Amino acid sequence: LLDDIVLTHSLFLPTERFLQQLHQQYPGGPRGPRGWAGGWGSGLRRKRAVLAVLLHFLETYKGLLQEEESAGKVIKELYLLIMKDTSLYHELEDEIIKLHQLVETVELKVADETPPPNKQVKPLFRHFRRIDSCLQTRVAFRGSDEIFCRVYMPDHSYVTIRSRLSASVQDILASVTEKLQYSEEQSSRGDALILVTMASSGEKAVLQPSEECVFTTLGINSHLFACTRDTFDSLVPLPEEIQVVPGDTEIHRAEPEDVANHLTAFHWELFRCIHELEFVDYVFHGERGRRETANLELLLQRCSEVQHWVGTELLLCEGLGKRAHLLKKLIKIAAICKQNQDMLSFYAIVIGLNNAAVSRLRLTWEKLPGKFKNLFRKFENLTDPCRNHKTYREVLAKMKPPIIPFVPLILKDLTFLHEGSKTLLDGLVNVEKLHCIAEKVRTVRKYRSRPLCLELEASPAQLQTKAYVRQLRVIDNQNLLFELSYKLEPGSQ
């Protein structure tokens, strides 16, 4: 029950108020509403109860609290109050020592403290394609982290800005304006800049000034444009990032085992970066909002990237024999990912092979050996959504950690739980709903309860494969994928 409340409290009580209520229940602290203390007892028993909640809260939230000044202030006040009891209540000594260690680890942020030194700029997936950046082990993103970002103009020139990940659209435009030295006179004439996100297909949308953390919500080959409202209609997407001409890429040279293992290793890094509370915030839009779902959004973006990578590689392979060989290799990679219990990569590859632009290549599929045709049918059955993904869930239930699940399905389950029942019933918290949500989040904890152990060599060839896997160049424009498909096999049904 304690874990249920700590994981899901933001659905009915914002974090700051939750902590204030906790502070008010500690004997010796400010008096709080009488109803909340009922059944907690008094003196030592109540102190121990408050300590138990606070310790579990800190263990669960950890790094997320570094972003919340108001929450940090309440925790520090409560911490100082508890520390005064160290000499009076020897029975609480173990809990107080643990509390001290946790507060030191969390490094709470308080408004009146001196600002921390400048942090190292963290690269997102597709920024500048620096090899040294892409080979670094992925670490979790927080809203205050700084990144480099390119913002394009209507003529496809661009400015590079340094920005917080949680920056609002208004902040980004202010940085762009400063770089361009855009005059106040122009702004007052109604020529103020707007920020637009544009996909490779040409689809575009104006971002509202108050929107935050837009960098992690961009599509695979989407870009940010700054323009005036007058030039919005004339915006066109950037040219495709990769050359749509045939040619061998790293996948043709690499062994299937190496590609699969590097996919698994990278996706495990990304999966480990996601705080379990991001799943709750992503679906239920808690008060932390998008700012604290950046790591989850990056993994979802990567899942889409792998799907399009499969189609891109196949449709840029001109020779029929070579294309059939590549199709066989991709099915092998999917099989090894399944063995690695990397169901995210496995699912993404199978979905990519089922892309209409790929599945219509009749001549290519006919050249595939019967053994691999049968294997792919089994993979399709495993990813079949019938009966609420029954086959996949049965296979997953037999696996032991470490596991990389198909994350979109976890979000689908949480959405179903959210929409299927109310959080409050007659003014009371629906504990059954919160328990179901927490149980689903705890499965993520279970999947990551043991470390991933993959033996990966550090040879030049392996590093080249690693860089290739971590910086996939893909075409995500479905119309262009169909054009390539029809050029390869015009008559296929």
Side-chain angles (χ1 to χ4, degrees):
L1 179 60
L2 175 58
D3 197 45
D4 290 355
I5 291 169
V6 168
L7 283 172
T8 62
H9 77 268
S10 65
L11 304 186
F12 61 91
L13 195 66
T15 297
E16 187 181 355
R17 282 185 57 203
F18 177 83
L19 291 168
Q20 285 171 347
Q21 293 276 20
L22 196 61
H23 191 192
Q24 289 164 355
Q25 302 314 310
Y26 192 81
R31 297 296 298 171
R34 294 177 61 190
W36 219 63
W40 282 50
S42 59
L44 179 64
R45 182 181 167 196
R46 193 196 285 185
K47 288 176 187 286
R48 179 160 273 152
V50 172
L51 258 170
V53 177
L54 182 59
L55 287 171
H56 197 81
F57 180 89
L58 289 173
E59 283 180 327
T60 303
Y61 277 68
K62 290 182 181 170
L64 295 187
L65 291 169
Q66 293 174 15
E67 302 297 313
E68 300 189 30
E69 290 181 7
S70 54
K73 188 176 180 182
V74 178
I75 292 172
K76 282 213 169 180
E77 288 173 359
L78 180 54
Y79 167 68
L80 292 173
L81 186 63
I82 293 169
M83 291 305 287
K84 290 177 183 177
D85 286 344
T86 307
S87 58
L88 301 175
Y89 293 92
H90 295 293
E91 298 91 336
L92 299 176
E93 187 176 353
D94 290 344
E95 288 98 325
I96 290 175
I97 289 172
K98 191 174 181 182
L99 174 63
H100 178 72
Q101 291 171 340
L102 275 170
V103 169
E104 288 289 310
T105 304
V106 168
E107 297 177 0
L108 295 170
K109 187 177 181 182
V110 180
D112 57 0
E113 289 184 351
T114 55
N118 287 336
K119 295 183 179 180
Q120 182 182 2
V121 181
K122 294 184 178 181
L124 288 175
F125 279 147
R126 314 185 70 79
H127 287 281
F128 307 118
R129 303 196 183 282
R130 286 172 49 194
I131 293 297
D132 58 332
S133 294
C134 81
L135 292 178
Q136 290 172 12
T137 300
R138 283 281 159 178
V139 293
F141 281 99
R142 295 287 171 253
S144 60
D145 289 335
E146 292 192 321
I147 60 165
F148 282 123
C149 177
R150 285 177 177 174
V151 180
Y152 290 84
M153 303 296 119
D155 63 357
H156 291 178
S157 62
Y158 63 84
V159 294
T160 302
I161 62 170
R162 180 170 175 165
S163 171
R164 286 177 296 107
L165 189 65
S166 61
S168 67
V169 168
Q170 195 170 3
D171 294 336
I172 296 168
L173 285 174
S175 298
V176 172
T177 300
E178 186 181 350
K179 281 263 186 175
L180 294 173
Q181 296 182 328
Y182 211 71
S183 69
E184 291 182 11
E185 183 185 344
Q186 283 175 303
S187 299
S188 63
R189 291 206 317 260
D191 294 339
L193 294 175
I194 58 174
L195 196 64
V196 178
T197 175
M198 177 174 284
S200 60
S201 62
E203 187 179 346
K204 53 194 173 185
V206 178
L207 298 171
Q208 298 306 309
S210 60
E211 287 187 59
E212 293 185 339
C213 209
V214 296
F215 305 112
T216 54
T217 63
L218 293 173
I220 303 166
N221 290 328
S222 295
H223 298 90
L224 291 176
F225 279 77
C227 66
T228 62
R229 293 198 176 274
D230 292 342
T231 55
F232 173 77
D233 291 334
S234 64
L235 289 182
V236 293
L238 297 178
E240 285 295 329
E241 292 194 1
I242 64 174
Q243 297 296 316
V244 284
V245 292
D248 287 359
T249 60
E250 181 63 27
I251 193 171
H252 293 277
R253 296 182 286 273
E255 291 296 322
E257 292 82 3
D258 296 337
V259 175
N261 288 341
H262 282 295
L263 281 170
T264 299
F266 187 40
H267 296 164
W268 179 254
E269 286 177 26
L270 296 173
F271 185 47
R272 288 283 296 171
C273 286
I274 302 170
H275 197 290
E276 55 197 29
L277 288 157
E278 291 188 44
F279 289 91
V280 178
D281 280 341
Y282 186 89
V283 174
F284 302 95
H285 307 296
E287 99 278 5
R288 281 179 301 282
R290 274 197 187 278
R291 190 172 41 142
E292 289 305 341
T293 60
N295 304 291
L296 177 54
E297 302 219 35
L298 286 173
L299 184 66
L300 294 174
Q301 184 190 114
R302 173 63 176 187
C303 185
S304 176
E305 190 174 58
V306 173
Q307 292 173 34
H308 286 97
W309 161 70
V310 170
T312 301
E313 290 288 9
L314 279 167
L315 295 170
L316 289 181
C317 187
E318 267 201 331
L320 178 59
K322 186 177 267 191
R323 193 163 60 251
H325 181 74
L326 179 57
L327 177 59
K328 177 176 148 184
K329 180 179 276 192
L330 286 165
I331 293 171
K332 268 189 189 177
I333 292 169
I336 298 164
C337 286
K338 180 173 171 286
Q339 278 182 345
N340 290 342
Q341 301 192 147
D342 175 9
M343 302 309 287
L344 184 86
S345 301
F346 169 78
Y347 242 97
I349 293 170
V350 174
I351 292 171
L353 291 173
N354 273 319
N355 184 306
V358 174
S359 61
R360 65 168 294 281
L361 298 174
R362 180 176 55 83
L363 298 177
T364 306
W365 285 94
E366 282 178 356
K367 282 189 75 70
L368 192 67
K371 174 185 170 183
F372 284 89
K373 286 179 184 174
N374 293 332
L375 185 59
F376 186 67
R377 284 193 202 101
K378 289 179 182 177
F379 290 170
E380 287 183 305
N381 290 335
L382 178 51
T383 56
D384 191 336
C386 287
R387 292 181 291 173
N388 195 18
H389 301 265
K390 183 175 181 289
T391 309
Y392 166 74
R393 292 181 195 276
E394 287 174 348
V395 168
L396 199 68
K398 294 174 184 175
M399 292 180 175
K400 293 180 180 178
I403 302 167
I404 307 175
F406 184 56
V407 172
L409 190 54
I410 295 176
L411 298 175
K412 177 188 171 186
D413 291 343
L414 285 170
T415 303
F416 179 80
L417 287 170
H418 179 38
E419 295 177 352
S421 57
K422 294 181 178 179
T423 302
L424 298 175
L425 297 172
D426 299 324
L428 299 175
V429 174
N430 183 352
V431 177
E432 186 179 350
K433 174 181 178 177
L434 299 192
H435 175 68
C436 291
I437 293 165
E439 278 289 287
K440 181 56 65 175
V441 174
R442 275 191 286 271
T443 61
V444 175
R445 195 179 293 172
K446 175 190 164 188
Y447 297 148
R448 303 190 296 202
S449 60
R450 295 185 65 184
L452 177 73
C453 298
L454 278 178
E455 293 184 9
L456 298 171
E457 297 176 13
S459 64
Q462 287 287 342
L463 287 175
Q464 192 172 352
T465 303
K466 180 179 179 180
Y468 165 75
V469 163
R470 289 172 176 240
Q471 290 279 40
L472 299 175
R473 293 172 178 261
V474 305
I475 299 170
D476 66 337
N477 184 338
Q478 189 63 32
N479 290 333
L480 181 53
L481 291 175
F482 268 118
E483 282 179 26
L484 292 169
S485 179
Y486 278 103
K487 282 179 183 175
L488 292 174
E489 296 186 26
S492 293
Q493 296 298 319

